[in-house]
Amino acid sequence: MKRIVVVGGSLAGVNALEEIRERGFSGELVLVGAELYLPYTRPPLSKEALAGGVDHGELALRPSGWYAENGVTLRLGHAASGLDTHRRVVLLDDGRTIAYDGLVIATGSSSRRPAQTAGITRAHELRGIDDAERLLRILRRSGHLVVIGAGFIGMEAAATARGLGLDVTVVDIAASPMNRAFGPGVGDWFRRRHEAHGVRVLCATGVAGIEEKGPRTLVRLADGETLTADALLVAVGATPATSWLAGSEVSLGDGILCEPDLATNVPDVVAAGDVARWHNRTFDESMRVEHWTNAVEQGRHAAATLLGEQRPFESVPFFWTDQFDAKLRCVGRPGAADDVAILAENDTTLVAVYGRGGLLSGAVCVNAPRQLATLRQAVAARTPFPEVVGSGLVAS
């Protein structure tokens, strides 16, 4: 290969670049990114950056000089709009094309927008730097923030806004916050923590309509209540950013369908990060993971695959969320569990374990680092679920 192109100025994309150079590739490296900014980390956008302002230097994944030092040609500010796998070229939204010998797709995910927000100009999202800067300006002159969506970003932003002194209401159609990821036990614990800090959390409640009236936005709920918002954040999840691949030869299905080693069905094309769906042999499950650690590991693994290494990507997913004084750390796959058990619970600490097929499939630890270390090893070892629950493996 003479030229490798990485599409996506993302965490996975940057780690792929780094791995390619570390493995001795001396050819041309090109990074294509839709945003004008150098690649940056996104978790702080709903926390520190939203609270105190965006510092581009602190958010940058690598110093500005790193790209030149590693011979990376930057094509920023223009999104990929198509892929011709026969000609081996990436099409950009300005009409230009970039030829490749090897291709890493790391385009991440895009915000999902509910139908009720169509035509609503003040329905904000929180995916990038521009979103965070815009929302912070609005929060500084607002009294009431309404958040539609009680997932990770919605609940983190709610905690941040409450810390800034705003009244905050969170609305979600699910039975509890972060219900899809953790189920009601963990979700209800976080609902109580938010309510203790003054956040109003309305679950099992849908949004019937949204109307802009003067400087405020009216959010009409399915139960008949109407919320008056000075600021409105929509955080109802994300979808893999694959629309630009429509009509290409790359196989799609809730992401890019990959082999266990992250190769796609097209020669010399690999995928990594939020956009990649692969069969994780650790859990014998097809999965797509939208979290920081996975993006780092997959970016490097996909790069190795592209350069000829044939090894399946097997991992135990790890992710976190910080809300007020609650530091949640999760390992494994809690969302697909058959069994759930709470091993420890009080006002500040929570430990929950999840089982599937009789084996430990995941664990959630809030302010419990010692238990997290033990359970991380137990998930990786595929420990029988009853053994974890009944043997005192984790003491409260």
Side-chain angles (χ1 to χ4, degrees), residues 240-257:
T242 58
S243 60
W244 67 282
L245 294 168
S248 74
E249 297 293 321
V250 176
S251 294
L252 305 176
D254 185 35
I256 297 173
L257 301 181

Side-chain angles (χ1 to χ4, degrees), residues 65-331:
W66 181 88
Y67 298 92
E69 292 169 3
N70 286 275
V72 178
T73 300
L74 297 173
R75 296 287 187 91
L76 303 179
H78 291 287
S81 61
L83 177 64
D84 187 330
T85 56
H86 297 288
R87 294 169 52 211
R88 292 192 174 218
V89 296
V90 176
L91 289 69
L92 302 184
D93 60 6
D94 63 355
R96 292 181 298 170
T97 61
I98 301 176
Y100 69 86
D101 299 304
L103 178 66
V104 180
I105 301 175
T107 43
S109 54
S110 304
S111 296
R112 183 182 291 115
R113 296 300 295 260
Q116 295 92 330
T117 63
I120 304 299
T121 60
R122 294 197 291 267
H124 299 282
E125 59 185 44
L126 189 52
R127 294 293 298 179
I129 280 179
D130 289 342
D131 300 326
E133 291 181 327
R134 187 181 305 111
L135 184 58
L136 178 56
R137 289 195 299 269
I138 294 169
L139 293 182
R140 284 173 171 167
R141 60 176 188 266
S142 297
H144 183 207
L145 168 68
V146 173
V147 181
I148 300 176
F152 297 110
I153 291 177
M155 297 301 282
E156 289 171 357
T160 300
R162 187 68 189 126
L164 293 172
L166 278 77
D167 292 329
V168 180
T169 303
V170 180
V171 180
D172 199 297
I173 197 170
S176 64
M178 302 177 290
N179 189 76
R180 182 179 177 185
F182 303 128
V186 173
D188 286 340
W189 190 93
F190 271 88
R191 176 183 54 77
R192 292 192 297 272
R193 296 305 300 154
H194 275 256
E195 290 174 343
H197 284 84
V199 177
R200 188 182 182 205
V201 183
L202 304 178
C203 287
T205 304
V207 175
I210 302 174
E211 176 187 357
E212 293 177 331
K213 191 171 184 178
R216 292 180 173 82
T217 304
L218 305 182
V219 181
R220 183 165 46 86
L221 304 183
D223 62 6
E225 181 179 359
T226 297
L227 305 173
T228 301
D230 300 304
L232 176 63
L233 172 63
V234 179
V236 295
T239 58
T242 58
S243 60
W244 67 282
L245 294 168
S248 74
E249 297 293 321
V250 176
S251 294
L252 305 176
D254 185 35
I256 297 173
L257 301 181
C258 298
E259 299 297 326
D261 62 357
L262 304 181
T264 72
N265 62 305
V266 176
D268 301 318
V269 178
V270 297
D274 294 10
V275 78
R277 172 168 288 279
W278 89 109
H279 187 83
N280 188 343
R281 295 183 181 180
T282 301
F283 295 86
D284 191 24
E285 178 187 347
S286 173
M287 62 179 66
R288 187 175 64 82
V289 178
E290 298 178 356
H291 295 291
W292 199 91
T293 304
N294 182 75
V296 172
E297 295 174 347
Q298 281 198 343
R300 292 185 171 276
H301 195 102
T305 296
L306 186 63
L307 295 177
E309 183 174 303
Q310 294 182 322
R311 178 171 53 89
F313 179 70
E314 300 178 76
S315 73
V316 176
F318 171 78
F319 55 96
W320 69 88
T321 178
D322 296 339
Q323 300 169 30
F324 298 113
D325 55 353
K327 297 182 179 298
L328 179 150
R329 302 296 182 263
C330 177
V331 292

Side-chain angles (χ1 to χ4, degrees), residues 331-356:
V331 292
R333 296 286 284 174
D338 302 320
D339 301 295
V340 182
I342 304 296
L343 302 186
E345 180 179 12
N346 55 45
D347 288 344
T348 60
T349 302
L350 178 69
V351 178
V353 291
Y354 299 78
R356 184 180 182 187

